[in-house]
Amino acid sequence: MSLKSKQELVEVVRPRYWKAGKVEKQKILDEFTCATGYHRKHAIRVLKNRISRTRRRKRTGYPSIYQGEVVQALEQIWEIYGHLCSKRLQPFLPEAIRVLERCQEIEFSAETKELLLKISSASIDRCLRPLRLTTRHGLSTTKPASLFKNLIPVRTFTEWDEEQPGFLEIDLVAHCGNTTEGQFLCTWTCTDLCTGWTDVTGLLHRSQEAVAEAVCRMRQRLPFPLLGIDSDNGGEFINDLLYRYCLDEKITFTRSRPYQKNDQAHVEQKNWSVVRHTVGYDRWETEQELALLESIYDDLRLYINFFQPSLKLIAKERIGNKTIKRYDTAKTPYQQVLERQDISFKVKAHLAHLYVQLNPAELRKRIDQKIAQLWKISR
């Protein structure tokens, strides 16, 4: 029976039900429930007219103030700063707007600016919800190496200290497409646990020599000394070459537990937010593609470390079956470095001089153009 037929039947049966006695009402209910399939209690309420046709209720609460130019400006800032989540974007908005105004990349009214400066992270999510995209995942290429597992971790020179800059988690991202057969390019990713400073380097292949060379290149770009590295159990890391290099350079070398990806949560997060989010999951193999990938990373390192704020976990408490986490205000790695007392003034002055010369919108534009070229080559 259709809904319209049920409504017509209700209009016919209801007057009879109102006038009927107790025994007759029971007979009417038996017939009515048999015809409509309603539950007996629901049929009683319908025939007593206690359920009216549902109507769309008017929305209550405050009227929306984030619309029009405010949403357009927010979308523009969100695009320039690489689709940051609201928890990272909201505390960074004042600095983001200041930088873009200095570079003359945005221009809006004083009223719009005032609204942007006081918008909450929840309102940012509501404004940007239509633009969110779903993503895919890549393949794992980690092959265990057991020869040096008894030697690593080594804590010969200094204990692992997450509150001191210089202790980095390292990992490789494979650009192998849908198959791990043959040779393909990789990205060396490393992130500092204290400041969040992140470095990425393109590699022609995942060999011991390529990884050792990447460590040397990375050390030259860091704004602080390299004190320790922590890797997974892949053979490109757990080998004699990198082990001897760390012994000679007095670098603490440790490894994560097998099959425990959360042991390297910091760098695994950067594998997605920095590498996959930027260059995707395609397969690249040639030196031409490597040169273009390295050109992208030259801009990406500046973009990530100077203009991408991140949240830092400062406390975690378990209450019953719940874990309550507290995070610091979102800051960029550059801001974290400036706040450190154990980093020299000379390094901070150099970074500040570089910062005022950078334009995040121009960096984002160059990165996107080079990515388009890379994808065009791989097709």
Side-chain angles (χ1 to χ4, degrees):
M1 181 179 288
S2 66
L3 179 61
K4 184 177 180 180
S5 299
K6 290 179 181 179
Q7 291 173 349
E8 292 175 352
L9 181 62
V10 168
E11 296 300 325
V12 173
V13 174
R14 182 180 288 137
R16 289 177 49 214
Y17 183 79
W18 284 352
K19 297 177 182 179
K22 183 176 182 180
V23 176
E24 190 177 354
K25 280 184 178 180
Q26 291 178 350
K27 294 180 180 179
I28 293 174
L29 279 175
D30 291 339
E31 296 173 358
F32 184 72
T33 54
C34 182
T36 60
Y38 287 161
H39 188 276
R40 197 173 185 85
K41 290 295 184 181
H42 178 69
I44 293 173
R45 288 193 292 268
V46 169
L47 293 176
K48 286 184 176 181
N49 202 22
R50 291 183 180 176
I51 295 183
S52 59
R53 187 176 298 176
T54 57
R55 298 178 181 177
R56 183 176 295 177
R57 296 193 301 174
K58 292 184 178 180
R59 183 179 176 182
T60 59
Y62 294 104
S64 176
I65 59 176
Y66 301 115
Q67 52 189 343
E69 184 184 358
V70 178
V71 176
Q72 292 176 5
L74 182 63
E75 290 176 357
Q76 183 181 0
I77 295 171
W78 184 67
E79 290 284 350
I80 290 174
Y81 283 94
H83 302 173
L84 291 171
C85 73
S86 62
K87 298 294 184 183
R88 297 163 59 198
L89 180 59
Q90 190 271 336
F92 188 63
L93 267 179
E95 178 66 14
I97 294 173
R98 190 180 307 114
V99 171
L100 293 177
E101 286 180 334
R102 184 194 72 207
C103 299
Q104 299 180 352
E105 291 292 340
I106 58 173
E107 184 178 352
F108 38 68
S109 64
E111 182 181 358
T112 298
K113 182 177 180 180
E114 182 181 355
L115 289 174
L116 286 174
L117 291 177
K118 69 178 184 180
I119 191 172
S120 68
S121 58
S123 295
I124 291 176
D125 281 333
R126 284 192 292 269
C127 292
L128 298 178
R129 186 177 292 118
L131 302 179
R132 304 291 187 184
L133 300 174
T134 57
T135 56
R136 52 186 282 206
H137 296 281
L139 302 178
S140 173
T141 58
T142 301
K143 296 181 180 179
S146 58
L147 182 61
F148 285 87
K149 281 188 176 180
N150 293 331
L151 300 177
I152 302 170
V154 286
R155 299 184 181 274
T156 308
F157 305 104
T158 177
E159 291 297 318
W160 194 266
D161 185 4
E162 297 185 9
E163 298 303 319
Q164 182 181 3
F167 291 92
L168 282 70
E169 289 181 358
I170 61 175
D171 198 10
L172 285 184
V173 179
H175 302 296
C176 59
N178 296 322
T179 175
T180 59
E181 295 181 358
Q183 292 291 334
F184 46 83
L185 303 186
C186 295
T187 292
W188 154 280
T189 312
C190 58
T191 184
D192 179 58
L193 301 188
C194 177
T195 64
W197 193 274
T198 301
D199 194 279
V200 284
T201 305
L203 304 181
L204 188 59
H205 40 73
R206 50 186 305 114
S207 66
Q208 301 177 13
E209 294 77 10
V211 169
E213 181 184 354
V215 174
C216 298
R217 293 162 61 186
M218 176 265 293
R219 290 184 69 186
Q220 297 174 0
R221 293 191 293 258
L222 287 178
F224 38 74
L226 178 61
L227 302 178
I229 57 175
D230 182 78
S231 73
D232 60 26
N233 291 270
E236 64 274 13
F237 300 121
I238 310 301
N239 56 72
D240 180 69
L241 184 61
L242 188 57
Y243 174 69
R244 295 298 173 186
Y245 176 83
C246 291
L247 286 178
D248 294 340
E249 299 295 326
K250 294 181 171 52
I251 298 171
T252 300
F253 187 11
T254 62
R255 61 181 176 88
S256 64
R257 294 172 295 173
Y259 310 109
Q260 300 291 327
K261 295 181 76 68
N262 200 48
D263 283 2
Q264 286 199 301
H266 299 82
V267 73
E268 291 287 353
Q269 183 184 48
K270 299 301 181 183
N271 286 345
W272 152 243
S273 64
V274 176
V275 181
R276 293 302 190 189
H277 187 68
T278 303
V279 298
Y281 296 83
D282 288 353
R283 183 181 179 92
W284 300 310
E285 303 172 344
T286 67
E287 294 187 4
Q288 180 186 7
E289 292 168 335
L290 176 62
L292 192 51
L293 188 65
E294 275 288 80
S295 179
I296 293 172
Y297 288 161
D298 287 340
D299 290 329
L300 187 61
R301 284 190 290 265
L302 298 174
Y303 182 76
I304 293 298
N305 291 315
F306 286 93
F307 301 109
Q308 293 285 281
S310 58
L311 294 167
K312 184 177 180 181
L313 182 67
I314 57 176
K316 182 167 64 174
E317 181 182 5
R318 187 169 184 85
I319 301 177
N321 61 348
K322 293 183 178 180
T323 300
I324 300 176
K325 298 179 180 180
R326 291 194 297 112
Y327 293 88
D328 196 2
T329 303
K331 299 175 184 176
T332 63
Y334 164 72
Q335 292 172 326
Q336 297 277 8
V337 169
L338 291 187
E339 293 179 355
R340 299 295 306 182
Q341 300 295 326
D342 47 7
I343 297 179
S344 68
F345 177 79
K346 182 179 179 180
V347 171
K348 295 178 182 179
H350 170 71
L351 294 178
H353 178 70
L354 179 60
Y355 180 65
V356 298
Q357 298 178 20
L358 296 176
N359 181 341
E362 184 62 30
L363 283 174
R364 184 73 256 177
K365 183 179 179 181
R366 289 207 305 262
I367 291 171
D368 291 340
Q369 289 174 347
K370 293 174 184 177
I371 291 171
Q373 295 177 25
L374 185 61
W375 286 343
K376 187 176 180 180
I377 292 174
S378 63
R379 292 296 184 267

